[in-house]
Amino acid sequence: MISISHVSKAFARRDGPVVALDDVSLHVAQGDIYGIIGYSGAGKSTLLRLMNGLEHPDQGTVTVADTLISAAPERALRAVRPKIGIIFQHFNLLWSRTVAGNIRLAMQIAGTPRAQIEARTAELIRLVGLEGRAVAYPSQLSGGQKQRVGIARALANNPDVLLCDEATSALDPETTDQILDLLAQINRDFGLTIALITHEMHVVRRICNHVAVMENGRIVEAGAVSDIFANPQSAVTRSLLRTLPDDSADAPNRLVLVYRGAVASEPLLAAAIQKHGLPVTIHGGRTNKLADGPLGELVISVDAAPEQIAAFVTDLNAAGIEVHDV
Amino acid sequence: MISISHVSKAFARRDGPVVALDDVSLHVAQGDIYGIIGYSGAGKSTLLRLMNGLEHPDQGTVTVADTLISAAPERALRAVRPKIGIIFQHFNLLWSRTVAGNIRLAMQIAGTPRAQIEARTAELIRLVGLEGRAVAYPSQLSGGQKQRVGIARALANNPDVLLCDEATSALDPETTDQILDLLAQINRDFGLTIALITHEMHVVRRICNHVAVMENGRIVEAGAVSDIFANPQSAVTRSLLRTLPDDSADAPNRLVLVYRGAVASEPLLAAAIQKHGLPVTIHGGRTNKLADGPLGELVISVDAAPEQIAAFVTDLNAAGIEVHDV
Amino acid sequence: ASADTLRIGASPVPHAEILEQAKPILAEQGIDLEIIIFQDYILPNTALAGGDIDANYFQHVPYLTSVLAENPDFDFVNAGDVHIEPIGIYSRRFESLQDLPEGGRVILRDSVAEEGRILSIFQREGVVGLREGVAPVDIRISDIVDNPKNLTFLPDIEAALLPQVYFNDEADAVTINANYALGAGLDPVADPIAVESATDNPYANIITVRAGDETRPDIQALVEVLHSDAIRTFINENYKGAVIPVELQ
Amino acid sequence: MFETLLPRVDPARLWQATLDTLYMTAFAGVATMLLGLILGALLFLTSPGQLWANRVIYGVISVVVNIARAIPFIILLVLLIPFTKTVVGTILGTNAALPALIFGTAPFYARLVEIAFREVDRGVIEATRAMGGGLPTILLRVLIPESAPALISGLTVTLIALVSYTAMAGVIGAGGLGHYAYLEGFQRNNQQVTFAATGVILIIVFAIQLVGDRTTRRIDKR
Amino acid sequence: MFETLLPRVDPARLWQATLDTLYMTAFAGVATMLLGLILGALLFLTSPGQLWANRVIYGVISVVVNIARAIPFIILLVLLIPFTKTVVGTILGTNAALPALIFGTAPFYARLVEIAFREVDRGVIEATRAMGGGLPTILLRVLIPESAPALISGLTVTLIALVSYTAMAGVIGAGGLGHYAYLEGFQRNNQQVTFAATGVILIIVFAIQLVGDRTTRRIDKR
Ligand SMILES: Nc1ncnc2c1ncn2[C@@H]1O[C@H](COP(=O)(O)OP(=O)(O)OP(=O)(O)O)[C@@H](O)[C@H]1O
Ligand SMILES: Nc1ncnc2c1ncn2[C@@H]1O[C@H](COP(=O)(O)OP(=O)(O)OP(=O)(O)O)[C@@H](O)[C@H]1O
Ligand SMILES: [Mg+2]
Ligand SMILES: [Mg+2]
């Protein structure tokens, strides 16, 4: 779907050129959700902007849906762009249009019939959780609300390809998850191909099947998410992976073990497991260095009789571990 | 240091007022790093803007460093503001000034001697990792680079209070950590008081000692971070906490256990612990639902002889768990 | 040398052109004539009263009289008559004023000082009747009391544009000052269908000075030069009857 | 009232002059707005670094616009006589003044339009292009609405300049308040006329300014 | 060359007229810029919703500015005679024309300044206030630099209007190219003078436009 081949791009500056992309190649297949991660200034936004021809490469080619974007005249680009949605890092909303007006614009450009526009606009506003704010102007919105308008606008024309530049960076985790679920669903139902820049690993983990890691204008690592996550090769990737949160909190029949301070570093759970001989599954957990000392949390489930579990919990409590039953 | 007492604020809109803040009270002590989290549109930015008088409350009072900000005339505000640094959600850089020029502005306003300005500017540019970009204009910077200029500018005058509105939302985790470490250090060394809006729990966890959780213009929960994290009362807080990443990856002498697919849900580690009877400390871990199935990771350390550990690892491997030694 | 500078305000055509001819002659007598061109009829007198100029040359006696009546603080005298510009009335459609049709349109220039003068020609030709007892210079279109042909007088057009108006046949009759007619290639003596008479014409353009200055040697020298044969010849040859030097007593 | 306060002012003539001024301002104003928008858009779009960047077209429009702005009004009037004659049928009166008024002020507004368009956020134009928007979309749906406050304020400035500009159209018998003030008031030393005509001009100017300011503030949603 | 190409043009007079125009444009231009900036800043700052929002001051400045823009030039000239006489010492010549030229164009530039300031991003002004910046800082370090491209383009427009405006100053013997073209060229039916004088006006106008455009593009870092 998106084929980037040996692309380089430099920006002229007073004290010499800044190389934003350096011999980058990337292939996004139809239906992929392709994550692009990397440090600030790595060239992610520049790479994304090549994919709809907003920027042209100095060298190399960019092909999207069989159109040679890197060499297409503006007229040809205009024809394919309504099918390539983009969410900008800085939103780029029209201040002169309301929430609804901004969303409508995309459809007006695509020549959607008026009646359809109205229905779709209302639907999109609901999807991004801005009900009741349809007539607000961007200046009356919070940062995250603006970003959601940008998301709705990019989805308006049911694009085949969606380019997201930090599409959820201004959103709280709950809203982020809703939006990501929405994207994943469109991807499943309609085969939407997504290229997605983010600096949040959990976004990659949650919906991407492929990921490319960028550093200094180069792709240092790329491949299936499970491969990269299981076996990170580069220092960048390893460093980025360290920030992943945990999914296990929604495991069924779970117990949450919380231990504070000194307790955190001792092998108390192991001791209890040995003593009771129970089949304990450890779903996940974390040790957090808080300002006032470490705080540990483990999520486990125990496949045993209630009285066995109760004894196990009593022992844990005696050792200074709080156990919450959720 | 910052005292907000029964503050309310509504914005007029075409179809009636939007209540952004509803009877909010908050106390930030000298030297606190106070996190403010909440969903998009909860009123976080509005609350922060009250703290330097950019916005005035409809009701209630705001006091910062003994100045009644909510009722102070512009002249009085001008006197205290250089000591209240603010990092804006949308950066608000001057496009007509370079990176260095934008940073200089804060000091020029504070009347810092010219020679000092130059030295401090260079220092700040280094601190935020923008060496070599001093003469770039904002239009030539990536999103994260712009944000770092905003951070440098807010720190320029060695403020007593720092207000951060999603100060690291456009930054990759590595840079985020650097910036947070920097803030924590200034807080330690100079007693800088920080009020910090974020939607990333790991930011709160990493540097805040207090946190307030907002929803629909109200503070639903507030207190010491360890209390709130250990015992979240509200649904919002619990939901936000689910996204916390794990700190344990830097524990010493650790083993990383990776298990994929079906393997993830079985109590394999517990079985191995029972069989070998070793004191295993579980530092943390996570189970991630990837697009192609679950991927689990646990970080443990085992206090035992090398040959005991080797046998333990062999058994784990046999059960389908990859073990990495770091 | 500056003591010998004589500053004179003048209308552009023909006044300034005539003064330009006098300039080298006066220079020989050690007088530096500085010509300041005015396009209106108010400022030259304001400037004269304020001492910004020593003399002006743009108005005729009837106009000066009415100005003095309206501005008691002005104390000006006539230092000498110079020339007369008979106004001509032109038409591409008719041969004489009597031929003008019922409801005909006549275009005048936008100079209030000349409205009465032009209307007097129409009165002389018996086309309109004017209110009795109004000084010629004060006569306005509103002073027409008898207008059997029901002529419309349109008095708002810039004088320099009038030849264009004539060539574009915009009205039944157009009044054109002789100098502009000449510039546009018209013959100001033969082409008009009616001309103001040159004899007994009270509209001689004069050199105006502040009272008392008329005896200043440089003013007298100026008037003398303007009355000299050289200048009279220039006027006659250059303007071909459109501008006529005054008869010298 | 008039007779007692300003006995030397003929109300009928003042009224006629007011109508003339309003007529010329309104008509030339609308034409100036349209022509100015078109020329301004062309100037903006063909200028270096913009969507249609084209040295030649930019150069040509720039020359035409600058010539029209630089030539003294009366000479412009004369140059336009053949055109005026063909289009309007006469070279005298309010209608004949319109071409010169329009040619004199439209280029001026065109420059203000160009300046206003240049202030529109590049990111927004980029977003529109990314949605597949072509020139008509960018112009009508983005540039004009996004710069509307500056366009309206610019039009206010232009219209007020036009009001005082109409005074010069008096030389071809177009009437109007400015000419009335000059001819009847100034030339005939009739201060009452000068005062009355200038007063009406001021009222018109303030009305334009008021409407312009209100509109600007109402549509500015930043 | 002159003698053969344009025998009816007196090069010395053309040169003098050029100098007069340049002198008036330069002098009145600088004054217009300064006065316009001050008035424009006051208009902006005192307008509703801005830092110094003040109905009364805004109203007063608005009135003064509008009056100066609306009055026909010659009447302005007459009204200013006492002032001119006091300040300049004479009511004739290029220097005497300056007050009327400045009073005629400064208000105009003031409006363009107001428009330019209104386009400055509110967030940036807010950031400056948050750093403790007072009015001088906001004006000199933020409003002016951030709106510099629009200020310069606006000045270009104003200067060009001024060039053609100087033609009117001819009525008090201020000379200049426009007046020269009108008097010597048009009134005396000397097409060569009209042509030559208009040509020089165009050269001046293009020079202003060129410098303005270049500067604008150079300082625009968006
Ligand atoms: N100027 C304004 N006019 C009208 N409504 C406003 C205005 N500013 C903010 N609001 C509304 O007030 C509410 C709170 O806004 P605020 O910016 O404080 O949210 P926030 O918590 O910072 O959200 P985010 O995380 O998305 O930035 C939102 O519903 C927003 O739409
Ligand atoms: N117009 C420009 N002129 C000069 N340099 C530029 C320009 N645009 C981007 N750059 C530089 O190119 C590099 C890559 O920028 P890019 O915006 O692609 O980074 P990014 O990976 O998106 O970073 P972030 O996560 O901070 O948004 C950066 O060093 C940036 O400063
Ligand atoms: Mg980016
Ligand atoms: Mg916010």
Side-chain angles (χ1 to χ4, degrees):
Chain A
M1 198 68 177
I2 305 175
S3 225
I4 292 181
S5 154
H6 299 291
V7 155
S8 295
K9 171 92 193 169
F11 292 103
R13 263 202 322 130
R14 248 198 276 174
D15 45 347
V18 175
V19 178
L21 294 176
D22 183 7
D23 192 29
V24 167
S25 296
L26 190 78
H27 184 79
V28 181
Q30 148 77 33
D32 268 359
I33 302 186
Y34 207 116
I36 300 168
I37 57 173
Y39 293 154
S40 169
K44 306 182 293 296
S45 297
T46 310
L47 181 62
L48 202 75
R49 290 159 54 82
L50 290 172
M51 298 184 189
N52 63 357
L54 282 180
E55 208 86 70
H56 288 284
D58 297 338
Q59 270 163 38
T61 57
V62 178
T63 314
V64 176
D66 301 329
T67 307
L68 187 64
I69 296 286
S70 51
E74 191 75 14
R75 166 182 294 275
L77 287 177
R78 268 210 308 283
V80 298
R81 278 174 173 162
K83 283 295 165 190
I84 308 179
I86 180 165
I87 303 167
F88 289 92
Q89 191 166 13
H90 301 304
F91 324 148
N92 289 346
L93 303 181
L94 279 72
W95 61 255
S96 59
R97 286 182 172 233
T98 59
V99 167
N102 268 287
I103 297 173
R104 256 182 233 126
L105 180 60
M107 291 181 273
Q108 286 166 342
I109 291 174
T112 313
R114 184 181 290 258
Q116 218 169 309
I117 290 182
E118 285 317 303
R120 179 93 178 120
T121 304
E123 183 190 349
L124 287 161
I125 288 178
R126 199 164 27 74
L127 275 179
V128 298
L130 286 174
E131 297 97 329
R133 306 300 314 250
V135 296
Y137 287 90
S139 64
Q140 303 174 318
L141 297 178
S142 77
Q145 288 165 340
K146 280 182 214 156
Q147 192 159 51
R148 286 181 270 162
V149 179
I151 294 169
R153 182 174 70 177
L155 291 175
N157 288 323
N158 300 308
D160 298 331
V161 176
L162 182 67
L163 311 176
C164 310
D165 197 347
E166 307 272 10
T168 55
S169 69
L171 297 179
D172 59 86
E174 182 89 1
T175 316
T176 298
D177 285 352
Q178 280 165 16
I179 299 287
L180 294 181
D181 287 348
L182 174 67
L183 295 184
Q185 187 196 326
I186 302 175
N187 166 267
R188 261 197 320 278
D189 297 351
F190 304 99
L192 174 71
T193 307
I194 302 178
L196 181 148
I197 292 177
T198 182
H199 60 260
E200 295 171 307
M201 260 300 173
H202 71 94
V203 171
V204 174
R205 180 252 296 152
R206 197 177 171 97
I207 64 162
C208 296
N209 60 352
H210 281 80
V211 65
V213 182
M214 293 190 71
E215 188 177 25
N216 290 331
R218 300 180 140 273
I219 291 185
V220 292
E221 199 162 352
V225 169
S226 54
D227 291 340
I228 304 273
F229 273 43
N231 239 325
Q233 297 300 313
S234 67
V236 201
T237 317
R238 270 198 294 271
S239 148
L240 289 168
L241 274 174
R242 283 175 43 197
T243 60
L244 263 187
D246 179 57
D247 280 338
S248 62
D250 50 0
N253 303 322
R254 66 200 171 93
L255 290 177
V256 180
L257 281 49
V258 179
Y259 36 97
R260 300 199 198 195
V263 174
S265 355
E266 317 214 342
L268 297 166
L269 178 60
I273 289 173
Q274 272 175 262
K275 176 172 167 201
H276 293 269
L278 295 177
V280 174
T281 303
I282 302 164
H283 295 286
R286 58 174 185 272
T287 309
N288 289 325
K289 286 175 289 184
L290 300 183
D292 55 0
L295 174 72
E297 188 181 298
L298 275 183
V299 181
I300 61 173
S301 58
V302 187
D303 190 5
E307 58 282 3
Q308 285 181 302
I309 295 181
F312 179 66
V313 167
T314 310
D315 262 14
L316 288 176
N317 284 343
I321 298 179
E322 297 169 30
V323 179
H324 301 273
D325 193 81
V326 199
Chain B
M1 199 66 179
I2 306 175
S3 227
I4 293 181
S5 153
H6 299 291
V7 153
S8 295
K9 171 92 191 168
F11 293 103
R13 262 204 320 132
R14 248 197 278 174
D15 44 348
V18 175
V19 178
L21 295 175
D22 183 7
D23 192 29
V24 167
S25 296
L26 190 79
H27 183 78
V28 181
Q30 148 77 33
D32 267 359
I33 303 186
Y34 207 117
I36 300 168
I37 56 173
Y39 294 155
S40 169
K44 306 183 293 295
S45 297
T46 309
L47 181 63
L48 202 75
R49 290 158 55 82
L50 290 173
M51 298 184 190
N52 62 358
L54 283 181
E55 208 87 68
H56 289 284
D58 297 338
Q59 269 161 39
T61 58
V62 178
T63 315
V64 176
D66 301 329
T67 306
L68 187 63
I69 296 286
S70 50
E74 191 75 15
R75 166 182 294 274
L77 287 177
R78 268 210 308 282
V80 297
R81 278 174 172 162
K83 284 295 168 191
I84 309 179
I86 180 164
I87 304 168
F88 289 92
Q89 192 167 11
H90 301 302
F91 323 150
N92 291 345
L93 303 181
L94 277 72
W95 62 253
S96 60
R97 285 180 171 234
T98 59
V99 168
N102 268 287
I103 297 171
R104 256 183 233 123
L105 180 59
M107 291 180 274
Q108 287 166 340
I109 290 174
T112 313
R114 183 180 292 258
Q116 217 170 311
I117 289 183
E118 285 318 303
R120 179 91 178 123
T121 304
E123 182 190 352
L124 287 162
I125 288 179
R126 199 163 29 71
L127 276 180
V128 298
L130 286 175
E131 298 97 328
R133 306 299 315 250
V135 295
Y137 287 90
S139 65
Q140 303 173 319
L141 297 179
S142 77
Q145 289 166 341
K146 281 183 214 155
Q147 192 159 49
R148 284 180 271 164
V149 179
I151 293 169
R153 183 175 70 178
L155 291 174
N157 288 324
N158 300 308
D160 298 331
V161 176
L162 182 67
L163 311 177
C164 310
D165 196 347
E166 306 273 9
T168 55
S169 69
L171 297 179
D172 59 87
E174 184 88 2
T175 316
T176 298
D177 285 352
Q178 282 166 14
I179 299 288
L180 294 182
D181 288 348
L182 175 66
L183 295 185
Q185 188 195 326
I186 302 173
N187 166 267
R188 261 197 319 277
D189 297 353
F190 304 99
L192 173 70
T193 307
I194 303 178
L196 181 149
I197 292 177
T198 182
H199 59 259
E200 296 171 308
M201 262 300 175
H202 71 95
V203 172
V204 174
R205 180 252 296 152
R206 198 178 171 94
I207 65 163
C208 295
N209 60 351
H210 281 79
V211 65
V213 183
M214 292 190 71
E215 187 176 25
N216 290 331
R218 301 180 139 272
I219 291 185
V220 292
E221 201 162 351
V225 169
S226 54
D227 291 338
I228 304 271
F229 274 42
N231 240 326
Q233 297 303 314
S234 68
V236 200
T237 317
R238 272 197 293 272
S239 148
L240 289 167
L241 275 173
R242 283 175 44 196
T243 60
L244 263 187
D246 179 57
D247 279 339
S248 62
D250 51 358
N253 303 325
R254 66 199 171 96
L255 290 179
V256 179
L257 280 49
V258 178
Y259 35 96
R260 300 199 198 196
V263 174
S265 357
E266 318 215 341
L268 297 166
L269 178 61
I273 289 174
Q274 274 175 262
K275 177 172 165 199
H276 291 270
L278 295 178
V280 174
T281 304
I282 302 163
H283 295 285
R286 61 173 181 271
T287 310
N288 289 325
K289 284 175 288 183
L290 299 183
D292 55 0
L295 175 70
E297 190 180 292
L298 277 182
V299 182
I300 62 173
S301 57
V302 188
D303 191 5
E307 58 281 2
Q308 283 181 304
I309 294 180
F312 180 64
V313 167
T314 309
D315 262 12
L316 289 177
N317 283 345
I321 298 179
E322 297 169 31
V323 179
H324 302 272
D325 194 78
V326 199
Chain C
S2 62
D4 296 311
T5 298
L6 184 58
R7 291 161 63 87
I8 183 163
S11 288
V13 201
H15 311 75
E17 290 176 335
I18 294 170
L19 289 172
E20 274 161 28
Q21 298 301 314
K23 192 178 161 92
I25 305 173
L26 284 165
E28 284 168 20
Q29 304 177 19
I31 296 168
D32 178 16
L33 187 68
E34 192 183 325
I35 305 159
I36 293 138
I37 295 175
F38 287 91
Q39 276 163 279
D40 67 284
Y41 298 146
I42 300 291
L43 290 175
N45 282 333
T46 311
L48 181 62
D52 293 290
I53 51 179
D54 302 307
N56 69 42
Y57 172 33
F58 76 99
Q59 61 198 334
H60 42 61
V61 174
Y63 181 71
L64 176 61
T65 309
S66 80
V67 168
L68 291 178
E70 279 184 23
N71 297 278
D73 52 325
F74 286 4
D75 190 9
F76 301 155
V77 296
N78 174 4
D81 300 353
V82 184
H83 75 264
I84 294 162
E85 294 170 57
I87 290 179
I89 297 166
Y90 296 72
S91 173
R92 291 174 74 98
R93 305 178 192 169
F94 307 100
E95 296 296 329
S96 74
L97 292 188
Q98 284 81 10
D99 291 349
L100 289 178
E102 166 74 22
R105 283 157 30 100
V106 181
I107 287 179
L108 316 183
R109 69 170 292 189
D110 57 353
S111 160
V112 294
E114 289 177 5
E115 229 168 73
R117 214 177 140 184
I118 295 163
L119 289 175
S120 300
I121 305 173
F122 283 80
Q123 187 179 37
R124 186 191 75 202
E125 300 288 320
V127 184
V128 299
L130 300 174
R131 197 184 309 279
E132 302 272 332
V134 183
V137 73
D138 289 331
I139 288 175
R140 300 282 176 269
I141 291 163
S142 53
D143 291 318
I144 297 173
V145 290
D146 185 22
N147 187 356
K149 283 182 189 289
N150 227 346
L151 297 176
T152 310
F153 292 90
L154 304 162
D156 272 356
I157 314 299
E158 156 78 23
L161 284 171
L162 289 170
Q164 283 289 347
V165 172
Y166 168 71
F167 288 130
N168 278 286
D169 198 15
E170 288 282 340
D172 297 301
V174 181
T175 64
I176 306 178
N177 286 52
N179 49 292
Y180 294 119
L182 206 62
L186 294 167
D187 180 339
V189 179
D191 287 345
I193 59 170
V195 191
E196 193 182 12
S197 100
T199 53
D200 274 345
N201 188 316
Y203 298 104
N205 286 253
I206 59 170
I207 303 289
T208 311
V209 297
R210 290 181 293 272
D213 281 356
E214 65 273 21
T215 54
R216 264 169 61 172
D218 51 356
I219 300 283
Q220 289 187 334
L222 169 68
V223 174
E224 208 164 288
V225 168
L226 290 176
H227 287 169
S228 69
D229 285 341
I231 296 298
R232 298 171 68 84
T233 310
F234 164 78
I235 293 175
N236 282 324
E237 287 180 356
N238 200 51
Y239 300 112
K240 299 186 179 70
V243 181
I244 304 165
V246 290
E247 304 288 331
L248 293 175
Q249 285 80 23
Chain D
M1 190 201 82
F2 244 90
E3 278 95 85
T4 53
L5 270 178
L6 300 167
R8 294 185 62 198
V9 177
D10 173 359
R13 286 212 53 185
L14 182 64
W15 180 237
Q16 183 56 46
T18 306
L19 289 182
D20 289 343
T21 293
L22 289 177
Y23 174 78
M24 285 189 282
T25 306
F27 199 113
V30 170
T32 290
M33 190 184 81
L34 296 177
L35 198 61
L37 268 176
I38 294 170
L39 287 175
L42 284 173
L43 277 174
F44 172 74
L45 292 168
T46 59
S47 66
Q50 295 300 339
L51 256 79
W52 259 6
N54 184 318
R55 266 183 189 286
V56 178
I57 301 184
Y58 182 77
V60 170
I61 301 175
S62 200
V63 168
V64 172
V65 162
N66 278 342
I67 289 181
R69 279 198 295 165
I71 295 180
F73 185 72
I74 194 152
I75 294 179
L76 187 65
L77 212 54
V78 173
L79 287 177
L80 285 176
I81 279 180
F83 174 81
T84 308
K85 185 85 190 172
T86 318
V87 174
V88 186
T90 173
I91 62 164
L92 296 181
T94 41
N95 283 323
L98 296 176
L101 287 173
I102 295 166
F103 278 83
T105 53
F108 177 77
Y109 187 51
R111 287 290 179 194
L112 298 190
V113 169
E114 188 195 357
I115 297 175
F117 283 177
R118 238 188 285 125
E119 297 293 313
V120 173
D121 182 12
R122 265 162 224 230
V124 163
I125 298 177
E126 209 161 64
T128 314
R129 285 176 55 215
M131 290 185 253
L135 259 165
T137 306
I138 291 176
L139 193 61
L140 299 176
R141 296 198 195 264
V142 181
L143 285 177
I144 293 180
E146 291 282 296
S147 63
L151 290 181
I152 303 276
S153 311
L155 189 62
T156 308
V157 172
T158 308
L159 285 181
I160 292 176
L162 189 59
V163 170
S164 75
Y165 215 43
T166 56
M168 289 199 274
V171 296
I172 52 164
L177 289 162
H179 196 58
Y180 182 54
Y182 174 67
L183 209 62
E184 297 285 321
F186 172 67
Q187 289 264 29
R188 295 196 178 166
N189 230 341
N190 181 342
Q191 253 100 37
Q192 290 185 5
V193 168
T194 310
F195 179 77
T198 313
V200 178
I201 291 177
L202 282 182
I203 293 171
I204 295 176
V205 165
F206 277 109
I208 295 174
Q209 187 77 47
L210 196 79
V211 173
D213 281 359
R214 286 265 161 97
T215 314
T216 304
R217 248 192 302 286
R218 199 170 49 73
I219 61 176
D220 197 343
K221 302 292 186 187
R222 280 172 290 195
Chain E
M1 190 202 79
F2 243 91
E3 279 94 88
T4 53
L5 270 180
L6 300 168
R8 295 184 60 200
V9 178
D10 174 358
R13 289 213 49 188
L14 182 64
W15 180 235
Q16 185 56 46
T18 306
L19 289 183
D20 288 344
T21 294
L22 288 178
Y23 174 76
M24 285 189 282
T25 307
F27 200 113
V30 170
T32 290
M33 190 183 82
L34 296 177
L35 199 60
L37 268 176
I38 295 168
L39 287 175
L42 284 173
L43 276 175
F44 172 74
L45 292 168
T46 59
S47 65
Q50 296 300 339
L51 257 78
W52 259 8
N54 185 318
R55 264 179 192 288
V56 178
I57 300 183
Y58 182 77
V60 170
I61 301 173
S62 200
V63 167
V64 172
V65 162
N66 278 341
I67 288 181
R69 280 197 295 164
I71 296 180
F73 185 72
I74 193 150
I75 294 179
L76 188 63
L77 213 53
V78 174
L79 287 177
L80 286 175
I81 280 181
F83 175 82
T84 307
K85 188 90 186 172
T86 319
V87 175
V88 187
T90 172
I91 63 161
L92 297 181
T94 42
N95 283 323
L98 295 176
L101 286 174
I102 294 166
F103 279 84
T105 54
F108 177 77
Y109 186 51
R111 286 290 180 193
L112 298 189
V113 169
E114 188 196 357
I115 296 176
F117 283 177
R118 239 189 283 125
E119 296 293 313
V120 172
D121 182 12
R122 265 161 223 232
V124 164
I125 298 176
E126 207 160 65
T128 313
R129 286 178 52 216
M131 289 185 255
L135 258 165
T137 306
I138 292 177
L139 193 62
L140 298 176
R141 297 200 196 261
V142 181
L143 284 176
I144 293 180
E146 291 280 297
S147 64
L151 290 181
I152 302 275
S153 311
L155 190 61
T156 308
V157 172
T158 309
L159 286 181
I160 292 176
L162 189 58
V163 170
S164 73
Y165 215 42
T166 57
M168 289 199 275
V171 297
I172 52 162
L177 288 162
H179 196 55
Y180 182 53
Y182 174 67
L183 275 185
E184 298 281 321
F186 174 64
Q187 288 234 356
R188 297 188 186 177
N189 221 1
N190 182 342
Q191 253 101 40
Q192 291 184 5
V193 168
T194 311
F195 179 77
T198 314
V200 178
I201 291 177
L202 283 181
I203 292 172
I204 295 174
V205 166
F206 277 108
I208 295 174
Q209 186 77 49
L210 197 78
V211 173
D213 281 359
R214 286 265 161 95
T215 314
T216 305
R217 247 192 302 285
R218 199 169 51 72
I219 60 175
D220 196 343
K221 301 292 186 189
R222 279 170 292 195

